[in-house]
Amino acid sequence: MEKNVLVMIPGPTPVVKSIQEQMGREIQAFGDPRFVKDYKELIDELGTLFNCSGQTFPLAGTGTLAMEMAIANVTKRGDNILIVSNGFFGDRFIDICERKGLHVDVLSAEWGNAVSPEAIDQKLSEKNYAAMTVTHVDTSTAVIAPVAEIGKVMKKHPDTIFILDGVAATAGEFADVDGMGIDVMFTGSQKAFGVCPGMFVLWAGKKALARRKTLGTIPEYYVDFEKWLPIMENPAKYFATPAVNLVWAMKEATEIIKAEGLQARDARHHKNAQAIHKALEAVGFTILAKPECRADTLSVCIYPDGVDDAKFRAAMFDAGVIVAGALGAYAGKAFRLGHMGNIDQNTIVQALSAVERALQACGHSVKFGTAVGAYLSAMNQ
Ligand SMILES: *Cc1c(COP(=O)(O)O)cnc(C)c1O
């Protein structure tokens, strides 16, 4: 029998049956009026759901391509850009922006902390920045940025485009594009949307679209807003082949998110995360992110003394659950547990019960039921 392994990494996340079924459908031509209608509905629904009065682009590619698309359409060679980094994915923008020929300034937090809105305000006052990037949840640290507060600060800096990397956050942590003053936001299908990897969604507000208009012809081709705008308006037109089955899968995911409601989904992730943190602490783990900036979509869990990373994760796999290693200075010292998307209490119980067995296998004895019990008590009090 092939081993059934529950995927509890920070993306891809578990894919529910109704979404799997969309992936497995018989293909349709991208010009088939039925598909054109589906694609148009997805574009419009995503725009409405996340309150973006500009243009929403659900396209084939991963989150990293969306990062390039964001930068390509709002900056030109020689511009200043501010990168606000709370970890590895914040830092990824440095390379992207340097390759583009931008002058890069970086505001970094120590891992486990978030850069404050005050520090951002001060830095943006020093010179003219064409754009700024913020990572909503940095997947290396599980730190959440104070997006709403940063959005308020941006009102004082109207010439700077606010780019938000929502890849490990959007549809797990609340976001409102126009309402929070976000100019560009993007996410990947495989994170809190709970779809297979392969698609990203980029929301461009009116200010970002206006900036693109000032840039003339840009060096990038596939990610150019101007190439896609006519297609997003009328998907019967062709620019590059849409990922037909992923469009359907994203449509089903969007229906699931809409039915739950963005605020309710955020509240569910929050309650779950709080209970998961209690459970992990009960068996000796330390959560890397400080309580005031802890994400709800994943956790970086520092091992109790004497627990070996490779051994622990191998024992987790034996117990039927795969988790991710930590990054940077925390590699070998912590593991990362994804808890975003379309998952329920049973899934978490399964993961935490594997954590108990893996600790036992690593010689760190715990009374069985400690983590599971702490989780269920917190969820059901
Ligand atoms: C996963 C992730 C990315 C990269 O997305 P890919 O789909 O792997 O290209 C970027 N930013 C954040 C915050 C992520 O979690």
Side-chain angles (χ1 to χ4, degrees):
M1 192 179 94
E2 203 193 343
K3 198 177 166 66
N4 218 342
V5 179
L6 176 63
V7 179
M8 294 299 281
I9 63 174
T13 60
V15 180
V16 298
K17 194 82 190 157
S18 66
I19 294 175
Q20 288 178 32
E21 279 164 1
Q22 294 298 321
M23 295 295 303
R25 278 175 64 181
E26 184 94 48
I27 196 71
Q28 282 179 3
F30 57 80
D32 184 320
R34 295 168 297 173
F35 175 72
V36 171
K37 179 169 175 285
D38 288 340
Y39 197 5
K40 185 63 185 162
E41 281 173 9
L42 174 67
I43 294 162
D44 293 344
E45 277 174 17
L46 285 169
T48 306
L49 190 57
F50 291 91
N51 191 27
C52 176
S53 59
Q55 181 61 58
T56 306
F57 303 86
L59 303 177
T62 74
T64 307
L65 188 60
M67 295 171 86
E68 287 205 57
M69 185 169 186
I71 299 298
N73 286 281
V74 300
T75 64
K76 60 180 186 305
R77 179 172 282 277
D79 279 350
N80 297 320
I81 189 160
L82 179 63
I83 291 169
V84 177
S85 178
N86 297 327
F88 177 89
F89 284 99
D91 289 349
R92 178 168 280 192
F93 267 120
I94 300 172
D95 198 13
I96 294 173
C97 293
E98 283 178 346
R99 284 167 185 237
K100 168 88 182 164
L102 305 180
H103 297 299
V104 174
D105 287 333
V106 185
L107 262 182
S108 300
E110 204 183 315
W111 277 33
N113 293 286
V115 175
S116 73
E118 294 74 31
I120 292 172
D121 189 18
Q122 196 188 342
K123 194 78 188 166
L124 290 177
S125 307
E126 285 173 12
K127 57 171 117 154
N128 200 351
Y129 286 100
M132 172 185 77
T133 69
V134 173
T135 313
H136 196 163
V137 170
D138 200 298
T139 325
S140 61
T141 55
V143 162
I144 184 165
V147 175
E149 289 79 3
I150 295 171
K152 284 185 195 130
V153 164
M154 296 313 287
K155 289 208 173 84
K156 289 200 254 169
H157 307 280
D159 297 333
T160 304
I161 298 287
F162 176 14
I163 298 169
L164 185 69
D165 174 348
V167 178
T170 311
E173 309 278 4
F174 184 72
D176 172 331
V177 174
D178 288 355
M180 289 174 163
I182 301 160
D183 298 308
V184 179
M185 181 173 86
F186 54 84
T187 192
S189 53
Q190 79 276 27
K191 308 263 173 129
F193 271 74
V195 173
C196 306
M199 196 160 211
F200 68 82
V201 182
L202 183 142
W203 291 264
K206 290 206 164 109
K207 208 207 286 186
L209 295 172
R211 171 68 64 80
R212 170 65 192 90
K213 294 269 183 241
T214 68
L215 298 176
T217 302
I218 60 171
E220 298 83 358
Y221 189 74
Y222 178 81
V223 294
D224 187 354
F225 285 176
E226 295 292 309
K227 293 285 184 199
W228 287 109
L229 279 167
I231 317 303
M232 298 297 97
E233 193 53 47
N234 175 12
K237 293 183 179 163
Y238 168 79
F239 169 55
T241 309
V244 174
N245 289 62
L246 276 166
V247 165
W248 286 328
M250 283 296 283
K251 193 154 187 291
E252 172 61 16
T254 304
E255 294 306 327
I256 292 172
I257 295 164
K258 241 173 61 177
E260 187 175 7
L262 274 194
Q263 299 275 13
R265 203 167 161 95
D266 173 274
R268 168 169 67 79
H269 278 79
H270 185 65
K271 189 173 181 192
N272 235 332
Q274 302 262 306
I276 290 167
H277 295 151
K278 284 203 180 113
L280 291 164
E281 283 166 354
V283 289
F285 286 96
T286 306
I287 304 301
L288 169 63
K290 297 284 174 296
E292 60 277 12
C293 57
R294 247 174 223 178
D296 295 329
T297 48
L298 80 148
S299 301
V300 181
C301 320
I302 301 169
Y303 292 114
D305 281 344
V307 176
D308 179 76
D309 174 48
K311 204 168 166 190
F312 175 83
R313 287 192 288 129
M316 284 293 287
F317 191 79
D318 284 343
V321 178
I322 190 158
V323 293
L327 301 172
Y330 288 90
K333 299 192 178 115
F335 80 95
R336 293 181 303 148
L337 178 72
H339 37 83
M340 66 185 111
N342 300 318
I343 53 171
D344 59 16
Q345 289 190 33
N346 294 329
T347 313
I348 303 294
V349 164
Q350 200 179 330
L352 291 172
S353 118
V355 167
E356 293 177 359
R357 281 173 283 160
L359 284 174
Q360 193 81 10
C362 290
H364 181 88
S365 82
V366 295
K367 188 169 178 296
F368 285 131
T370 306
V372 169
Y375 171 74
L376 289 177
S377 304
M379 289 302 286
N380 296 287
Q381 63 197 357

